Each structure stands twice: as C-alpha cells, then as structure tokens.
Amino acid sequence: MGSMKVHQFARGFWEHEPSLTLGCKRLRPLAPKLSNTDNTPTTVPPFDLKSFIRPESGPRKLGSSDDKRETAHVDTHPGGTRWNPTQEQIGILEMLYRGGMRTPNAQQIEQITAQLGKYGKIEGKNVFYWFQNHKARERQKQKRNNLGLNHSPRAPGVTTTTTISSSLTHESRVGV
Amino acid sequence: MGSMKVHQFARGFWEHEPSLTLGCKRLRPLAPKLSNTDNTPTTVPPFDLKSFIRPESGPRKLGSSDDKRETAHVDTHPGGTRWNPTQEQIGILEMLYRGGMRTPNAQQIEQITAQLGKYGKIEGKNVFYWFQNHKARERQKQKRNNLGLNHSPRAPGVTTTTTISSSLTHESRVGV
DNA sequence: GCAAATTAATGATTTATTCAAG
DNA sequence: CTTGAATAAATCATTAATTTGC
C-alpha cells in the first residue's frame, strides 16, 4: 500500500473547514432494528455491530497514523469500546483547559490528538468530546457551588487567584 | 442517581461527526454570561504546550504569529459561503426524511452526499445539519400548529395536514 | 482477598437554543 | 423571514470505583 488515497469522505469534503478524523465506529448498541414497515429509501446498511466495534481492521477514514504498533501496547487497547484516557492524557488536557482552551478548532484538535496519541490510543473526537464535557461539567459544578453559596461571604480557603497575568496571547479564546 | 430509563425504540445510530469549529469567519459573540467567579486562568502552561494553543484559523497560512486579521475581504471564496442547496437536493433530502430517515449515520451521510453532489456542491456536514435542522423545525412547526388551533391569524401557506399522529409513536418528551 | 452488586464518573449522542447569512 | 451553522444543555450508556457478602 503505497500512497493510496483514502476515502474521499475524509479529505475532499471537509477541506475547507478544518475537520478531524472521526471514526466510523462506535454505534449505539441499541437495536438497529428499525420499524421495517416503512420503506427506507436509502438502503440502511445492515449494521454489523461487531465489525464496527472492531475498528482495527476496518477502513480508517483519515488521520490514520502510519503505524499503530500495538504489539507492545503500553495501554490497554480496550478492544474497541470507548476511549479511556490515561493519566498523562488527562493531565495535558486539563492543562490546556486551564490554559484557557475551551473549544479547540480542528487544527488544534489534530495537534492535541497527535500529542496525546503518544500516551495511548486516542482519536480526534475524543478530544473534542472531552472539551465539551469538561466545560459543561465544570460549569455545572460551579453552578452547584453558587447555589449553596449564601453562607460565607468570603470563600474560605480558596482565595481566588486574582493574580492573573491578564494579557495573554490566547487567540483560541472563543467563548467567555 | 441512576437514570433507569429503557428505550426500546431505535434511537440514534449515528456516529455524530463532531462539527468542529471552522473558525474561518465565524465570530460568534454569544456572551455566555458566565459568572466570572471561577477561574480566569490565563496562566501560561509551564510546558511548551502552548504550541497547541496556536492562533486559530487562518486559511492555510502559518508562520505569521500575529493575526489581527480584518474581516474585510476574505469571503469571496466558495468555501466561505454556506451551502445553498438546490431544488433537487432538497427534494431528495425531503424524500429521505419522509421515508423515515432522521439521523443518518456516517455511511449514509457519505452516500447521500455523494448522490447530492451530482446536483451541486455539498459536503457531508451539510447533510448532517440539514437533518438536524429539519427534524427540529418540523417538530416546532407541529407544535405551533397544535397549540394555535384556535388561532386564526392567517392561513398558513403550507398545508402540513399530514403526519401529526405518526410522531406520537415517539416517546413523549419528559418535559423540560 | 475476591468477585458480584451498586454507585459514581465520565465518554458519547441527541436535542434545544442561538447566531448570522441570504 | 427563512434556514444553514454552531454551541450548550440534557440525556444515554459504559467503565472505574466502591461497597458488600462470602
């Protein structure tokens, strides 16, 4: 397999907007059984659950790393369930988050994925989801804290670090 | 806090492409109104991870660190405008929708996009978004119609006198 | 000590809301 | 106003922690 063009779906269509590799696997285990009474015009492909859950031999869309060298597998290589981040990965992600990154764009996701890939199997969408979830859940936490906040006018313990060096070259700051 | 809800109906079986921020010319103020109580982090990560936080977007030019780009001229590109579906495309999509398709998976999207590509420029995410929006807005319309039965402002242009009961087979929304 | 049962975290999807182009 | 595009909120589903009984 020399230079073979992968599916067009990977490259050609999303070239304008940065996109990331997303797997074509991992579908919900719920019954793929549609109500067959309706005529689904497009042939709903028979969902081969097993083949989807085993992406190893499946066709990759993009971002296929040259080698996967799973022979040694430092990590669990969970056999095709959901991503289970390692401690290093989490650490880096949290660092990025604390650094101000909230919704990285495709370029950033690509790079992050590449970096985190050194510590374990990971895909771009994992990074994407992680930021989504982390952001949302941090907000939840904060809100919860705010609700029960009418007790001590001053936050005990945590002195809100106002020593922020305000000016920073964070261009990736979309929200806030 | 276990949510024991069992859905027996076929729910989504779609891989969900993470719609990455394109960041081309999409500046969304969207004041999140987040209470700024929490972290205003802006602490430079001690590592070189800052390389992750590269300035976003920029078509393909890298190297220029500072991007104070003006939103002046950069929109004559055919990649910058949004998808404008043709009549054939809409027709096919609606046909598929009426046929029961609601959230096509990646495979299906791929095929649909390929087909629709014959009639005009289109990308996979367009198909994805179309289904999302169409589903949501059909629901809105129905709801509006149901609520405003006694209303008689003006004859609605579209006679969507069909399929009101069909959607009842779905779960009734749990409020909220 | 261990494994089944239970609970807590959190990854992955779906839905609702919002913004802006045409 | 219509509607493509994007994000946030809500929800589902799976894995890790943990409890419990032996």
Side-chain angles (χ1 to χ4, degrees):
Chain A
M1 303 192 213
S3 57
M4 100 177 169
K5 276 181 93 72
V6 284
H7 253 227
Q8 290 184 344
F9 187 63
R11 253 266 185 265
F13 300 154
W14 303 68
E15 72 177 36
H16 298 111
E17 279 87 59
S19 95
L20 78 106
T21 149
L22 29 93
C24 68
K25 47 232 157 198
R26 197 121 316 122
L27 69 109
R28 243 87 159 274
L30 275 196
K33 181 133 167 58
L34 288 170
S35 51
N36 46 9
T37 54
D38 58 355
N39 49 354
T40 48
T42 58
T43 71
V44 181
F47 288 122
D48 220 354
L49 291 178
K50 302 303 159 66
S51 64
F52 277 145
I53 296 181
R54 288 296 285 185
E56 303 318 294
S57 53
R60 304 268 302 180
K61 300 232 148 170
L62 176 101
S64 61
S65 305
D66 33 344
D67 62 339
K68 303 180 77 115
R69 52 173 51 208
E70 332 254 6
T71 45
H73 4 29
V74 285
D75 71 8
T76 56
H77 192 200
T81 37
R82 69 183 198 182
W83 170 56
N84 199 15
T86 69
Q87 212 54 19
E88 295 99 328
Q89 289 173 337
I90 292 276
I92 293 176
L93 286 171
E94 277 179 350
M95 200 156 29
L96 291 174
Y97 184 87
R98 289 172 47 146
M101 185 177 288
R102 321 232 324 179
T103 54
N105 62 23
Q107 269 186 332
Q108 294 170 316
I109 286 185
E110 261 181 76
Q111 297 183 29
I112 296 168
T113 304
Q115 286 298 317
L116 296 185
K118 296 176 178 174
Y119 304 105
K121 190 166 180 291
I122 191 173
E123 297 176 60
K125 67 172 189 177
N126 304 129
V127 175
F128 172 72
Y129 287 140
W130 188 90
F131 274 96
Q132 291 278 113
N133 282 319
H134 197 70
K135 178 168 52 174
R137 279 163 182 153
E138 283 296 312
R139 196 173 293 168
Q140 273 183 22
K141 241 183 243 170
Q142 199 188 44
K143 196 168 230 175
R144 260 209 149 83
N145 264 354
N146 272 358
L147 282 183
L149 174 111
N150 273 346
H151 273 275
S152 49
R154 277 144 45 117
V158 176
T159 49
T160 317
T161 61
T162 41
T163 61
I164 45 173
S165 56
S166 52
S167 66
L168 203 92
T169 57
H170 272 152
E171 298 292 346
S172 64
R173 191 167 205 59
V174 195
V176 181
Chain B
M1 55 177 85
S3 59
M4 300 202 191
K5 199 150 172 216
V6 186
H7 285 267
Q8 295 185 350
F9 299 126
R11 271 166 120 354
F13 30 82
W14 145 250
E15 319 308 357
H16 181 84
E17 320 225 345
S19 53
L20 302 171
T21 69
L22 45 88
C24 238
K25 45 187 294 211
R26 176 108 180 120
L27 291 170
R28 173 121 83 134
L30 193 148
K33 297 269 183 4
L34 255 184
S35 50
N36 40 13
T37 58
D38 182 63
N39 50 6
T40 34
T42 57
T43 52
V44 185
F47 293 96
D48 60 345
L49 293 162
K50 206 164 148 202
S51 60
F52 288 136
I53 314 181
R54 290 164 51 152
E56 64 158 308
S57 88
R60 191 45 98 156
K61 50 177 63 175
L62 54 91
S64 59
S65 51
D66 183 53
D67 56 337
K68 279 236 155 105
R69 78 288 207 152
E70 68 302 329
T71 60
H73 57 79
V74 199
D75 59 355
T76 55
H77 286 286
T81 53
R82 67 184 199 181
W83 171 54
N84 198 17
T86 69
Q87 211 53 20
E88 294 97 332
Q89 288 173 337
I90 291 278
I92 293 176
L93 286 172
E94 278 180 349
M95 193 161 48
L96 294 175
Y97 185 87
R98 272 200 295 268
M101 184 175 290
R102 292 167 66 115
T103 56
N105 61 24
Q107 276 185 344
Q108 292 170 317
I109 285 187
E110 194 183 343
Q111 298 183 25
I112 295 169
T113 305
Q115 276 306 110
L116 297 185
K118 296 176 178 175
Y119 304 106
K121 191 164 178 300
I122 191 173
E123 300 175 57
K125 67 171 189 176
N126 304 129
V127 175
F128 170 71
Y129 283 138
W130 188 90
F131 273 97
Q132 292 279 110
N133 283 319
H134 197 70
K135 177 169 52 173
R137 277 161 185 154
E138 281 298 312
R139 194 175 296 169
Q140 274 183 19
K141 245 182 234 170
Q142 274 190 9
K143 194 178 241 175
R144 254 208 157 98
N145 266 354
N146 274 354
L147 286 181
L149 282 181
N150 261 352
H151 232 199
S152 65
R154 236 163 83 163
V158 284
T159 55
T160 60
T161 59
T162 57
T163 64
I164 294 181
S165 56
S166 68
S167 70
L168 291 180
T169 54
H170 295 247
E171 54 169 328
S172 51
R173 283 245 52 91
V174 204
V176 165

